Amino acid sequence: MDSVDISYDGLVTWIPGGIYSTACKVSVKYYPFDVQTCELVYFASDEITSTVHLNGPSTIILNDYTDNSEWKLLGVAVSVTEKYKTYYVKLQCKIQRRADFTVYTMVLPLTTLAIINVFTFLVPIESGEKGSLAITLFLAYGFFVTITRDALPHNSLQVSYYIIYITILLALSMFTVIYVILEAKIYSRLGTTEFRICRTSKVKAILTDIQIEKDTMSLSKMESSKDTVTWAEMMSKLDIVFCCSSFVFVVLFSSVLWSVVYVGD
């Protein structure tokens, strides 16, 4: 119910009441640690400054304000400007997203999946579970992409760092799946075959003062002999290299990105 105050000199003060649905532009670049600033503009349509005088309070009373489960109110400011021969009352609200729920339900599970995806390289190809694990993790990332599409607003003009994070991890998972498929193919075709590109020569000789002549003869034979490496052994060593490099990449990339997101806004 609206209230109207009429003074002795004929000044009428109208305090309108009601529930208004408003929308404002948002930027999800630093989601879920984003801070949004919404502006609400009030003016009297078809009126000028001489007929209607609009004024805003110098301080905002928040006695009737109730906390929101998703957003936290940081501050409210009011300004009155004259434009087009009428008054404009601008109400500016600054709100911050409550990020705890998103961090525990989306960010941490994504980081956990990234670490598990790294250790996929250490699963022996002979077990037959390496490919299924890689594909399962790839599908899990697709599930998170679907959740993120429904959670983030579609009217943002900027790309969220959170989307970039998921995209990079999805690309890493796709690389893991392709690598595992190629590794399984190479192992089935050339597993026990000698890896001719790289050979290692091992010379082990223990010389003693008593058997110098015998050891010299055996040493010459050992130098001429070459120890071969199979394709299966080479792929196993390559798994360790990819595991270590991917682990370092995930840790550094996650640390830098979320540090920028946390302090960026």
Side-chain angles (χ1 to χ4, degrees), residues 190-196 198 228-236:
L190 306 171
T192 57
T193 307
E194 177 186 356
F195 186 73
R196 297 182 179 276
C198 177
T228 61
V229 176
T230 62
W231 278 90
E233 295 174 347
M234 190 62 192
M235 297 301 294
S236 178

PDB file of all heavy atoms in Angstrom, residues 190-196 198 228-236:
ATOM      1  N   LEU A 190      53.725 -54.077 -31.989  1.00  0.00           N
ATOM      2  CA  LEU A 190      55.192 -54.052 -31.866  1.00  0.00           C
ATOM      3  C   LEU A 190      55.655 -54.190 -30.425  1.00  0.00           C
ATOM      4  O   LEU A 190      56.755 -53.735 -30.085  1.00  0.00           O
ATOM      5  CB  LEU A 190      55.744 -52.733 -32.445  1.00  0.00           C
ATOM      6  CG  LEU A 190      55.349 -52.380 -33.872  1.00  0.00           C
ATOM      7  CD1 LEU A 190      55.785 -50.969 -34.207  1.00  0.00           C
ATOM      8  CD2 LEU A 190      55.950 -53.375 -34.854  1.00  0.00           C
ATOM      9  N   GLY A 191      54.846 -54.819 -29.589  1.00  0.00           N
ATOM     10  CA  GLY A 191      55.183 -54.859 -28.170  1.00  0.00           C
ATOM     11  C   GLY A 191      56.533 -55.482 -27.857  1.00  0.00           C
ATOM     12  O   GLY A 191      57.344 -54.921 -27.124  1.00  0.00           O
ATOM     13  N   THR A 192      56.805 -56.628 -28.433  1.00  0.00           N
ATOM     14  CA  THR A 192      58.056 -57.337 -28.154  1.00  0.00           C
ATOM     15  C   THR A 192      59.132 -57.084 -29.211  1.00  0.00           C
ATOM     16  O   THR A 192      60.213 -57.655 -29.148  1.00  0.00           O
ATOM     17  CB  THR A 192      57.780 -58.847 -28.073  1.00  0.00           C
ATOM     18  OG1 THR A 192      57.178 -59.290 -29.294  1.00  0.00           O
ATOM     19  CG2 THR A 192      56.847 -59.162 -26.909  1.00  0.00           C
ATOM     20  N   THR A 193      58.843 -56.209 -30.164  1.00  0.00           N
ATOM     21  CA  THR A 193      59.810 -55.913 -31.225  1.00  0.00           C
ATOM     22  C   THR A 193      60.860 -54.936 -30.718  1.00  0.00           C
ATOM     23  O   THR A 193      60.587 -54.074 -29.872  1.00  0.00           O
ATOM     24  CB  THR A 193      59.087 -55.313 -32.444  1.00  0.00           C
ATOM     25  OG1 THR A 193      58.017 -56.166 -32.827  1.00  0.00           O
ATOM     26  CG2 THR A 193      60.051 -55.146 -33.613  1.00  0.00           C
ATOM     27  N   GLU A 194      62.048 -55.057 -31.247  1.00  0.00           N
ATOM     28  CA  GLU A 194      63.133 -54.171 -30.827  1.00  0.00           C
ATOM     29  C   GLU A 194      62.867 -52.747 -31.294  1.00  0.00           C
ATOM     30  O   GLU A 194      62.466 -52.513 -32.434  1.00  0.00           O
ATOM     31  CB  GLU A 194      64.456 -54.673 -31.419  1.00  0.00           C
ATOM     32  CG  GLU A 194      65.641 -53.765 -31.094  1.00  0.00           C
ATOM     33  CD  GLU A 194      66.904 -54.202 -31.812  1.00  0.00           C
ATOM     34  OE1 GLU A 194      66.865 -55.248 -32.484  1.00  0.00           O
ATOM     35  OE2 GLU A 194      67.917 -53.499 -31.691  1.00  0.00           O
ATOM     36  N   PHE A 195      63.083 -51.810 -30.400  1.00  0.00           N
ATOM     37  CA  PHE A 195      62.956 -50.390 -30.728  1.00  0.00           C
ATOM     38  C   PHE A 195      64.284 -49.929 -31.343  1.00  0.00           C
ATOM     39  O   PHE A 195      65.234 -49.609 -30.645  1.00  0.00           O
ATOM     40  CB  PHE A 195      62.623 -49.589 -29.460  1.00  0.00           C
ATOM     41  CG  PHE A 195      62.328 -48.144 -29.722  1.00  0.00           C
ATOM     42  CD1 PHE A 195      61.141 -47.761 -30.314  1.00  0.00           C
ATOM     43  CD2 PHE A 195      63.241 -47.160 -29.374  1.00  0.00           C
ATOM     44  CE1 PHE A 195      60.852 -46.427 -30.548  1.00  0.00           C
ATOM     45  CE2 PHE A 195      62.967 -45.831 -29.614  1.00  0.00           C
ATOM     46  CZ  PHE A 195      61.767 -45.452 -30.205  1.00  0.00           C
ATOM     47  N   ARG A 196      64.354 -49.898 -32.664  1.00  0.00           N
ATOM     48  CA  ARG A 196      65.619 -49.696 -33.368  1.00  0.00           C
ATOM     49  C   ARG A 196      66.086 -48.243 -33.359  1.00  0.00           C
ATOM     50  O   ARG A 196      67.234 -47.974 -33.673  1.00  0.00           O
ATOM     51  CB  ARG A 196      65.491 -50.178 -34.812  1.00  0.00           C
ATOM     52  CG  ARG A 196      65.201 -51.671 -34.930  1.00  0.00           C
ATOM     53  CD  ARG A 196      65.138 -52.104 -36.379  1.00  0.00           C
ATOM     54  NE  ARG A 196      64.880 -53.533 -36.496  1.00  0.00           N
ATOM     55  CZ  ARG A 196      65.821 -54.472 -36.420  1.00  0.00           C
ATOM     56  NH1 ARG A 196      67.071 -54.121 -36.242  1.00  0.00           N
ATOM     57  NH2 ARG A 196      65.495 -55.752 -36.515  1.00  0.00           N
ATOM     58  N   CYS A 198      66.431 -46.332 -30.848  1.00  0.00           N
ATOM     59  CA  CYS A 198      67.261 -46.044 -29.673  1.00  0.00           C
ATOM     60  C   CYS A 198      67.799 -47.346 -29.125  1.00  0.00           C
ATOM     61  O   CYS A 198      67.047 -48.274 -28.839  1.00  0.00           O
ATOM     62  CB  CYS A 198      66.430 -45.334 -28.608  1.00  0.00           C
ATOM     63  SG  CYS A 198      67.325 -44.997 -27.076  1.00  0.00           S
ATOM     64  N   THR A 228      69.287 -54.409 -26.296  1.00  0.00           N
ATOM     65  CA  THR A 228      68.177 -53.795 -27.032  1.00  0.00           C
ATOM     66  C   THR A 228      67.036 -53.412 -26.097  1.00  0.00           C
ATOM     67  O   THR A 228      66.902 -53.948 -24.997  1.00  0.00           O
ATOM     68  CB  THR A 228      67.659 -54.778 -28.094  1.00  0.00           C
ATOM     69  OG1 THR A 228      67.192 -55.963 -27.439  1.00  0.00           O
ATOM     70  CG2 THR A 228      68.754 -55.106 -29.097  1.00  0.00           C
ATOM     71  N   VAL A 229      66.211 -52.476 -26.589  1.00  0.00           N
ATOM     72  CA  VAL A 229      65.013 -52.014 -25.866  1.00  0.00           C
ATOM     73  C   VAL A 229      63.806 -52.299 -26.743  1.00  0.00           C
ATOM     74  O   VAL A 229      63.779 -51.945 -27.931  1.00  0.00           O
ATOM     75  CB  VAL A 229      65.104 -50.507 -25.553  1.00  0.00           C
ATOM     76  CG1 VAL A 229      63.814 -50.010 -24.895  1.00  0.00           C
ATOM     77  CG2 VAL A 229      66.287 -50.226 -24.649  1.00  0.00           C
ATOM     78  N   THR A 230      62.779 -52.910 -26.193  1.00  0.00           N
ATOM     79  CA  THR A 230      61.568 -53.215 -26.942  1.00  0.00           C
ATOM     80  C   THR A 230      60.637 -52.007 -26.956  1.00  0.00           C
ATOM     81  O   THR A 230      60.787 -51.061 -26.183  1.00  0.00           O
ATOM     82  CB  THR A 230      60.851 -54.420 -26.321  1.00  0.00           C
ATOM     83  OG1 THR A 230      60.453 -54.097 -24.977  1.00  0.00           O
ATOM     84  CG2 THR A 230      61.760 -55.639 -26.295  1.00  0.00           C
ATOM     85  N   TRP A 231      59.652 -52.080 -27.832  1.00  0.00           N
ATOM     86  CA  TRP A 231      58.660 -51.006 -27.925  1.00  0.00           C
ATOM     87  C   TRP A 231      57.853 -50.905 -26.631  1.00  0.00           C
ATOM     88  O   TRP A 231      57.475 -49.802 -26.207  1.00  0.00           O
ATOM     89  CB  TRP A 231      57.731 -51.259 -29.113  1.00  0.00           C
ATOM     90  CG  TRP A 231      58.298 -50.806 -30.413  1.00  0.00           C
ATOM     91  CD1 TRP A 231      59.059 -51.523 -31.283  1.00  0.00           C
ATOM     92  CD2 TRP A 231      58.140 -49.509 -30.984  1.00  0.00           C
ATOM     93  NE1 TRP A 231      59.404 -50.770 -32.374  1.00  0.00           N
ATOM     94  CE2 TRP A 231      58.835 -49.515 -32.228  1.00  0.00           C
ATOM     95  CE3 TRP A 231      57.489 -48.352 -30.595  1.00  0.00           C
ATOM     96  CZ2 TRP A 231      58.895 -48.405 -33.061  1.00  0.00           C
ATOM     97  CZ3 TRP A 231      57.531 -47.238 -31.434  1.00  0.00           C
ATOM     98  CH2 TRP A 231      58.237 -47.270 -32.637  1.00  0.00           C
ATOM     99  N   ALA A 232      57.560 -52.036 -25.998  1.00  0.00           N
ATOM    100  CA  ALA A 232      56.800 -52.022 -24.754  1.00  0.00           C
ATOM    101  C   ALA A 232      57.563 -51.297 -23.652  1.00  0.00           C
ATOM    102  O   ALA A 232      56.989 -50.503 -22.889  1.00  0.00           O
ATOM    103  CB  ALA A 232      56.477 -53.451 -24.324  1.00  0.00           C
ATOM    104  N   GLU A 233      58.858 -51.541 -23.564  1.00  0.00           N
ATOM    105  CA  GLU A 233      59.671 -50.849 -22.558  1.00  0.00           C
ATOM    106  C   GLU A 233      59.774 -49.354 -22.860  1.00  0.00           C
ATOM    107  O   GLU A 233      59.751 -48.524 -21.939  1.00  0.00           O
ATOM    108  CB  GLU A 233      61.057 -51.478 -22.505  1.00  0.00           C
ATOM    109  CG  GLU A 233      61.062 -52.926 -22.022  1.00  0.00           C
ATOM    110  CD  GLU A 233      62.431 -53.568 -22.126  1.00  0.00           C
ATOM    111  OE1 GLU A 233      63.317 -52.970 -22.795  1.00  0.00           O
ATOM    112  OE2 GLU A 233      62.629 -54.645 -21.545  1.00  0.00           O
ATOM    113  N   MET A 234      59.880 -49.011 -24.131  1.00  0.00           N
ATOM    114  CA  MET A 234      59.967 -47.606 -24.503  1.00  0.00           C
ATOM    115  C   MET A 234      58.680 -46.863 -24.179  1.00  0.00           C
ATOM    116  O   MET A 234      58.701 -45.726 -23.683  1.00  0.00           O
ATOM    117  CB  MET A 234      60.285 -47.496 -26.000  1.00  0.00           C
ATOM    118  CG  MET A 234      60.642 -46.092 -26.440  1.00  0.00           C
ATOM    119  SD  MET A 234      62.136 -45.511 -25.601  1.00  0.00           S
ATOM    120  CE  MET A 234      62.060 -43.764 -26.043  1.00  0.00           C
ATOM    121  N   MET A 235      57.531 -47.468 -24.445  1.00  0.00           N
ATOM    122  CA  MET A 235      56.252 -46.842 -24.133  1.00  0.00           C
ATOM    123  C   MET A 235      56.054 -46.705 -22.628  1.00  0.00           C
ATOM    124  O   MET A 235      55.457 -45.735 -22.151  1.00  0.00           O
ATOM    125  CB  MET A 235      55.103 -47.652 -24.747  1.00  0.00           C
ATOM    126  CG  MET A 235      55.127 -47.730 -26.269  1.00  0.00           C
ATOM    127  SD  MET A 235      55.062 -46.105 -27.072  1.00  0.00           S
ATOM    128  CE  MET A 235      53.426 -45.574 -26.612  1.00  0.00           C
ATOM    129  N   SER A 236      56.573 -47.656 -21.864  1.00  0.00           N
ATOM    130  CA  SER A 236      56.485 -47.564 -20.413  1.00  0.00           C
ATOM    131  C   SER A 236      57.286 -46.373 -19.878  1.00  0.00           C
ATOM    132  O   SER A 236      56.841 -45.662 -18.969  1.00  0.00           O
ATOM    133  CB  SER A 236      56.980 -48.865 -19.781  1.00  0.00           C
ATOM    134  OG  SER A 236      56.939 -48.789 -18.372  1.00  0.00           O
TER     135      SER A 236
END
